[in-house]
Structure formats: C-alpha cells, structure tokens
Amino acid sequence: ADPAIHIQSVDKYYGDYHALRDINLDVPDGQTLVICGPSGSGKSTLIRCINGLETYASGTVEVLGLAVGDDRHLCNLVRKQVGMVFQNFNLFPHLTILENCVLPQIRAIGKDRAAATEEALSQLAKMQVQEHVDKYPDQLSGGQQQRVALARALCLKPKIMLFDEPTSALDPEMISEVLDVMQALAREDMTIICVTHEMGFARAVADRVILMAEGRIVEEGTAEQMFNAP
Ligand code: ADP
Ligand code: ADP
C-alpha cells in the first residue's frame, strides 16, 4: 500500500537559512510517528510542509497520494483530510466552544448546521468538554482549550492528524489530560505525526520516533531504541 505521507529529497530555505536538508520520510497508513529534536531543528517546518502551510525549494511531498506544493487546489484537498493542532490552541476567541467546532464544518466541508452541531457535540463529549459548549475559549483552562482544538479538528474527519508541541504551552497538571485523549486517538487507526518532548507519551504510543537536528533527520527507531538506549 502507498504510505499516507511520502516525503522525498525535500529542501527548504528561509532566505539564506537552510531549514530542511534532504528530508526523506515515509509514514505508513495508521502509524504514530513522534518527531523530537532541539528547538530550531526544523520540526515545525517539516510538519507545516505536510499540510501546505509552507512551500519548499525542491523535492516531493505526497499526502494520501496527492502532491502538496504550489498547487492551491491540491493543498486545499489535502488540508481537508489533515487535521492540525498547534501549541497555542488557535481557537477563534470571539466564537463559543460549540461554534468553534461547528463553523469549520460548514465552511470547509459544506455540512449543514444541524449535522455539524450533532458532530460537534459528539466530539466535544468524547473530549469531556461538553459542559462548556456555550462558553468562550478564554473561560476554559489551557488543557480544556486544547481538547476543544482536538475536537474541532476531529469534526472534519481527517485521515491524518498533525500535532505541533500540543502540550508545551500547558501547565504541568494539564498535560496528561491532553496526552490521554491523544493516546486514545493513536490507538485507533489514525495516522499521527506529533512533535513533542513528552517521552512518556512517545514510549506509550509511538510506532516510530525520528530525531531532527539542524534541518536533518539524524536518527530514527522505535521509542525503545531511541529512549532506552544505554
Ligand atoms: P523547531 O520546530 O524544531 O523549533 P522550526 O521549524 O520552527 O524549528 O524552525 C527551524 C529554523 O527555521 C529556526 O532556526 C527558525 O528560526 C527558522 N524559521 C522558522 N520559521 C521561519 C520563518 N518564517 N522565517 C525565517 N526563519 C524561520
Ligand atoms: P515553533 O518552534 O513552535 O515553530 P517559533 O517560535 O520557532 O515556534 O516560530 C513561531 C512562528 O514564527 C512561526 O510561524 C515561524 O515560522 C516564525 N518564525 C520563527 N523563526 C523566525 C525567524 N527567524 N524569522 C521569521 N519568522 C520566524
């Protein structure tokens, strides 16, 4: 079977700065891949290339068989199938929790409001934030907001989920409530790429871990190989 994500010989520059250097990576369907590495090593840039948030100088990125790149039409097709959760929640501050989850379904996939509301309530219940649906994001804790962000992404029924340091803006006591729902997701057959420093999470759910440094993939292995090596 074709991999969910196929990245071949990708190079990316910010001006003169060589941010990604000859990246080659295949992610099979259903795999949970954790990306770690020091700040500035290109982790964010790499996952942003996957859903067309960044362009790149050369190479190929294929997502679900579609070549992402300069083609806006293909990028939009890909984005409908790829959910993304960022460090800083990125909820719409002026919309209620429910509306944060309903509106993208109407705008991005043309659902009617009744069906979108039903889906939103179901996803918000799975994330255990259903009692907050009429509140605004700033009335929720960081951990609750991140679970809303996750529910919002899942409402669009993505085939792939990308996470960029989803717990690094959270207070320590809230980290596990987000990791727990991500773990449940990873055990389903979703394809997941997660940039994180949470080694416990990586050990629990990663099928594979890659380590980046200075724009390259410098090591790869199972979580055991990567974190328990002598
Ligand atoms: P990481 O996610 O591993 O911290 P990033 O992918 O965010 O790394 O960044 C890789 C490098 O590229 C860093 O040195 C960063 O400063 C630089 N960089 C990231 N985004 C931009 C940008 N929009 N313009 C210029 N440089 C950038
Ligand atoms: P992260 O490592 O999570 O990407 P950063 O602080 O590196 O966080 O980047 C935050 C935002 O700033 C990103 O949109 C990134 O593209 C941009 N950015 C990062 N470094 C630079 C830079 N040197 N010049 C311009 N934009 C940058």
Side-chain angles (χ1 to χ4, degrees), residues 99-202:
E99 204 56 21
N100 260 280
C101 294
V102 168
L103 208 57
Q105 297 181 70
I106 295 175
R107 296 253 171 98
I109 55 178
K111 266 206 195 165
D112 67 59
R113 177 164 285 275
T117 303
E118 188 181 342
E119 181 65 38
L121 291 172
S122 156
Q123 294 295 344
L124 288 164
K126 276 190 203 157
M127 296 298 147
Q128 294 172 20
V129 284
Q130 68 271 40
E131 69 269 38
H132 304 296
V133 293
D134 295 322
K135 295 183 184 165
Y136 288 86
D138 67 2
Q139 296 174 282
L140 270 57
S141 73
Q144 289 167 336
Q145 288 186 60
Q146 196 59 304
R147 283 181 286 145
V148 173
L150 199 44
R152 179 178 63 178
L154 294 175
C155 280
L156 301 177
K157 303 288 176 200
K159 300 220 167 62
I160 297 172
M161 280 294 298
L162 306 176
F163 293 90
D164 192 357
E165 302 200 25
T167 59
S168 56
L170 299 177
D171 292 333
E173 69 271 20
M174 290 168 193
I175 290 176
S176 67
E177 64 186 55
V178 171
L179 292 180
D180 287 350
V181 293
M182 289 174 58
Q183 262 188 50
L185 203 60
R187 295 207 171 100
E188 296 170 18
D189 32 3
M190 183 86 73
T191 305
I192 294 176
I193 300 185
C194 180
V195 174
T196 184
H197 302 288
E198 296 290 336
M199 290 191 193
F201 171 77

Side-chain angles (χ1 to χ4, degrees), residues 14-15 17 19-20 37-46 54 164-165 195:
Y14 292 111
Y17 185 78
L20 294 178
S39 178
S41 57
K43 307 181 297 296
S44 269
T45 301
L46 176 58
E54 298 277 3
D164 192 357
E165 302 200 25
V195 174

Side-chain angles (χ1 to χ4, degrees), residues 29-43:
D29 201 22
Q31 184 166 81
T32 297
L33 172 70
V34 164
I35 304 179
C36 50
S39 178
S41 57
K43 307 181 297 296

Side-chain angles (χ1 to χ4, degrees), residues 36-75:
C36 50
S39 178
S41 57
K43 307 181 297 296
S44 269
T45 301
L46 176 58
I47 63 167
R48 290 163 59 85
C49 285
I50 294 170
N51 66 350
L53 290 172
E54 298 277 3
T55 55
Y56 39 92
S58 56
T60 310
V61 177
E62 281 177 19
V63 179
L64 303 166
L66 299 168
V68 195
D70 293 335
D71 187 322
R72 294 331 295 168
H73 175 65
L74 283 184
C75 266

Side-chain angles (χ1 to χ4, degrees), residues 72-108:
R72 294 331 295 168
H73 175 65
L74 283 184
C75 266
N76 287 336
L77 279 181
V78 164
R79 267 187 221 151
K80 281 181 195 173
Q81 320 221 40
V82 180
M84 183 140 181
V85 171
F86 301 88
Q87 185 173 338
N88 292 315
F89 326 135
N90 285 53
L91 298 175
F92 306 115
H94 58 291
L95 296 180
T96 64
I97 298 310
L98 181 61
E99 204 56 21
N100 260 280
C101 294
V102 168
L103 208 57
Q105 297 181 70
I106 295 175
R107 296 253 171 98

